[in-house]
């Protein structure tokens, strides 16, 4: 009889563990879904959003404000993504195999936006490191440059004022972390 009791206890324990696993899975999915439900549906990066609470019919449209970075600034994120603004050039550095921008992209692009508003054009160029497959690296460099372009357009820069240019040499200079970058420059 003891053998039957131990089998029943094992089965009961197994069922309780399975029920707990299902509950944790459902709760995890609900939390994940709630965290990602704020992501934009069009697939473009969310940079700035302005939503008037209760606008009167004659109220002016809300404007997006962007802080201007005027000195050399470096923002470093632990996973390898960072932003550096120096001498009017905005460099976005990326983690290996990623096209995700570091937080602060809108602020870093403020000087570029001002330059475009004054009649200049933004030139976006993507570079990659020399590790891995060269074809995959070039595609990733292009995807990174397109992400930066999409952020600029999302901040109100006309697409006709943003020029994606493939550099003659797409393999960036410096160490691998410095080579995985997108440069944004203003031209006349």
């Amino acid at each position: 009889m003891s053998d039957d009791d131990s089998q029943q206890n094992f089965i009961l324990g197994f069922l309780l563990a399975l029920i707990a696993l299902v509950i944790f899975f459902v709760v995890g999915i609900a939390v994940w879904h709630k965290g990602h439900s704020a992501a934009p549906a069009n697939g473009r990066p969310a940079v700035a959003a302005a939503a008037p609470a209760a606008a009167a019919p004659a109220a002016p449209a809300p404007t997006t404000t962007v802080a201007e970075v005027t000195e050399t600034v470096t923002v470093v994120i632990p996973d390898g993504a960072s932003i550096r603004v120096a001498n009017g050039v905005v460099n976005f550095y990326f983690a290996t195999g990623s096209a995700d921008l570091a937080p602060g992209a809108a602020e870093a692009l403020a000087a570029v936006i001002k330059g475009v508003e004054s009649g200049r054009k933004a030139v976006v160029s993507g570079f990659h490191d020399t590790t891995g497959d060269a074809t995959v690296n070039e595609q990733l460099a292009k995807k990174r440059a397109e992400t930066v372009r999409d952020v600029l357009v999302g901040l109100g820069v006309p697409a006709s004022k943003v020029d994606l240019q493939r550099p003659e040499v797409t393999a960036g200079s410096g160490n691998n972390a410095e080579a995985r970058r997108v440069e944004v420059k203003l031209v006349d």
Side-chain angles (χ1 to χ4, degrees), residues 14 28 38 44-45 86 99 119-120 125 144 168 174:
F14 181 77
R44 290 194 173 180
R120 299 177 81 188
S125 301
R144 290 170 176 160
E168 288 183 28

PDB file of all heavy atoms in Angstrom, residues 14 28 38 44-45 86 99 119-120 125 144 168 174:
ATOM      1  N   PHE A  14       3.536  16.294  -9.283  1.00  0.00           N
ATOM      2  CA  PHE A  14       3.801  16.607 -10.674  1.00  0.00           C
ATOM      3  C   PHE A  14       2.695  17.488 -11.250  1.00  0.00           C
ATOM      4  O   PHE A  14       2.965  18.470 -11.949  1.00  0.00           O
ATOM      5  CB  PHE A  14       3.936  15.308 -11.477  1.00  0.00           C
ATOM      6  CG  PHE A  14       4.235  15.543 -12.937  1.00  0.00           C
ATOM      7  CD1 PHE A  14       5.507  15.897 -13.339  1.00  0.00           C
ATOM      8  CD2 PHE A  14       3.227  15.414 -13.893  1.00  0.00           C
ATOM      9  CE1 PHE A  14       5.788  16.112 -14.682  1.00  0.00           C
ATOM     10  CE2 PHE A  14       3.500  15.633 -15.227  1.00  0.00           C
ATOM     11  CZ  PHE A  14       4.784  15.980 -15.627  1.00  0.00           C
ATOM     12  N   GLY A  28       3.498  35.593 -17.175  1.00  0.00           N
ATOM     13  CA  GLY A  28       4.629  36.130 -17.918  1.00  0.00           C
ATOM     14  C   GLY A  28       4.229  36.687 -19.262  1.00  0.00           C
ATOM     15  O   GLY A  28       4.673  37.764 -19.667  1.00  0.00           O
ATOM     16  N   ALA A  38       2.741  49.275 -25.829  1.00  0.00           N
ATOM     17  CA  ALA A  38       2.952  50.690 -26.091  1.00  0.00           C
ATOM     18  C   ALA A  38       3.826  50.913 -27.318  1.00  0.00           C
ATOM     19  O   ALA A  38       4.000  52.019 -27.763  1.00  0.00           O
ATOM     20  CB  ALA A  38       3.594  51.362 -24.877  1.00  0.00           C
ATOM     21  N   ARG A  44       8.317  51.707 -36.768  1.00  0.00           N
ATOM     22  CA  ARG A  44       9.333  52.742 -36.668  1.00  0.00           C
ATOM     23  C   ARG A  44       9.677  52.970 -35.205  1.00  0.00           C
ATOM     24  O   ARG A  44       8.845  52.765 -34.334  1.00  0.00           O
ATOM     25  CB  ARG A  44       8.824  54.045 -37.272  1.00  0.00           C
ATOM     26  CG  ARG A  44       8.716  53.938 -38.771  1.00  0.00           C
ATOM     27  CD  ARG A  44       8.551  55.273 -39.364  1.00  0.00           C
ATOM     28  NE  ARG A  44       8.621  55.143 -40.816  1.00  0.00           N
ATOM     29  CZ  ARG A  44       8.502  56.154 -41.619  1.00  0.00           C
ATOM     30  NH1 ARG A  44       8.315  57.355 -41.151  1.00  0.00           N
ATOM     31  NH2 ARG A  44       8.574  55.971 -42.909  1.00  0.00           N
ATOM     32  N   PRO A  45      10.875  53.454 -34.906  1.00  0.00           N
ATOM     33  CA  PRO A  45      11.262  53.685 -33.529  1.00  0.00           C
ATOM     34  C   PRO A  45      10.424  54.783 -32.906  1.00  0.00           C
ATOM     35  O   PRO A  45      10.115  55.779 -33.551  1.00  0.00           O
ATOM     36  CB  PRO A  45      12.718  54.125 -33.618  1.00  0.00           C
ATOM     37  CG  PRO A  45      13.143  53.904 -35.029  1.00  0.00           C
ATOM     38  CD  PRO A  45      11.926  53.709 -35.845  1.00  0.00           C
ATOM     39  N   ALA A  86      30.325  65.206 -31.530  1.00  0.00           N
ATOM     40  CA  ALA A  86      31.568  65.971 -31.507  1.00  0.00           C
ATOM     41  C   ALA A  86      31.747  66.685 -32.839  1.00  0.00           C
ATOM     42  O   ALA A  86      31.589  66.076 -33.901  1.00  0.00           O
ATOM     43  CB  ALA A  86      32.753  65.051 -31.236  1.00  0.00           C
ATOM     44  N   ALA A  99      20.772  46.684 -34.298  1.00  0.00           N
ATOM     45  CA  ALA A  99      20.496  47.978 -34.920  1.00  0.00           C
ATOM     46  C   ALA A  99      19.688  48.856 -33.970  1.00  0.00           C
ATOM     47  O   ALA A  99      19.061  49.819 -34.400  1.00  0.00           O
ATOM     48  CB  ALA A  99      19.741  47.781 -36.233  1.00  0.00           C
ATOM     49  N   GLY A 119      18.160  74.918 -43.845  1.00  0.00           N
ATOM     50  CA  GLY A 119      18.368  74.702 -45.273  1.00  0.00           C
ATOM     51  C   GLY A 119      19.447  73.701 -45.624  1.00  0.00           C
ATOM     52  O   GLY A 119      19.696  73.456 -46.797  1.00  0.00           O
ATOM     53  N   ARG A 120      20.114  73.140 -44.637  1.00  0.00           N
ATOM     54  CA  ARG A 120      21.151  72.153 -44.921  1.00  0.00           C
ATOM     55  C   ARG A 120      20.529  70.765 -45.071  1.00  0.00           C
ATOM     56  O   ARG A 120      19.354  70.567 -44.820  1.00  0.00           O
ATOM     57  CB  ARG A 120      22.196  72.175 -43.808  1.00  0.00           C
ATOM     58  CG  ARG A 120      22.873  73.547 -43.726  1.00  0.00           C
ATOM     59  CD  ARG A 120      23.849  73.644 -42.615  1.00  0.00           C
ATOM     60  NE  ARG A 120      25.111  73.029 -43.040  1.00  0.00           N
ATOM     61  CZ  ARG A 120      26.118  72.826 -42.222  1.00  0.00           C
ATOM     62  NH1 ARG A 120      26.029  73.152 -40.955  1.00  0.00           N
ATOM     63  NH2 ARG A 120      27.228  72.274 -42.655  1.00  0.00           N
ATOM     64  N   SER A 125      25.464  57.843 -42.874  1.00  0.00           N
ATOM     65  CA  SER A 125      26.324  56.780 -43.407  1.00  0.00           C
ATOM     66  C   SER A 125      26.515  55.695 -42.371  1.00  0.00           C
ATOM     67  O   SER A 125      26.795  55.993 -41.206  1.00  0.00           O
ATOM     68  CB  SER A 125      27.696  57.345 -43.798  1.00  0.00           C
ATOM     69  OG  SER A 125      27.557  58.354 -44.764  1.00  0.00           O
ATOM     70  N   ARG A 144      21.108  49.876 -39.807  1.00  0.00           N
ATOM     71  CA  ARG A 144      21.382  50.866 -38.758  1.00  0.00           C
ATOM     72  C   ARG A 144      21.202  52.284 -39.284  1.00  0.00           C
ATOM     73  O   ARG A 144      20.604  53.128 -38.634  1.00  0.00           O
ATOM     74  CB  ARG A 144      22.801  50.669 -38.221  1.00  0.00           C
ATOM     75  CG  ARG A 144      22.976  49.399 -37.419  1.00  0.00           C
ATOM     76  CD  ARG A 144      24.439  49.134 -37.138  1.00  0.00           C
ATOM     77  NE  ARG A 144      24.610  47.962 -36.272  1.00  0.00           N
ATOM     78  CZ  ARG A 144      25.727  47.280 -36.176  1.00  0.00           C
ATOM     79  NH1 ARG A 144      26.793  47.634 -36.886  1.00  0.00           N
ATOM     80  NH2 ARG A 144      25.799  46.249 -35.362  1.00  0.00           N
ATOM     81  N   GLU A 168      32.534  54.825 -49.232  1.00  0.00           N
ATOM     82  CA  GLU A 168      33.377  54.021 -50.124  1.00  0.00           C
ATOM     83  C   GLU A 168      33.893  52.784 -49.410  1.00  0.00           C
ATOM     84  O   GLU A 168      33.947  51.702 -49.979  1.00  0.00           O
ATOM     85  CB  GLU A 168      34.549  54.856 -50.638  1.00  0.00           C
ATOM     86  CG  GLU A 168      34.129  55.898 -51.650  1.00  0.00           C
ATOM     87  CD  GLU A 168      35.316  56.665 -52.199  1.00  0.00           C
ATOM     88  OE1 GLU A 168      36.439  56.119 -52.244  1.00  0.00           O
ATOM     89  OE2 GLU A 168      35.101  57.821 -52.583  1.00  0.00           O
ATOM     90  N   GLY A 174      39.184  52.029 -36.402  1.00  0.00           N
ATOM     91  CA  GLY A 174      39.239  51.894 -34.953  1.00  0.00           C
ATOM     92  C   GLY A 174      38.934  50.474 -34.530  1.00  0.00           C
ATOM     93  O   GLY A 174      38.890  49.549 -35.346  1.00  0.00           O
TER      94      GLY A 174
END
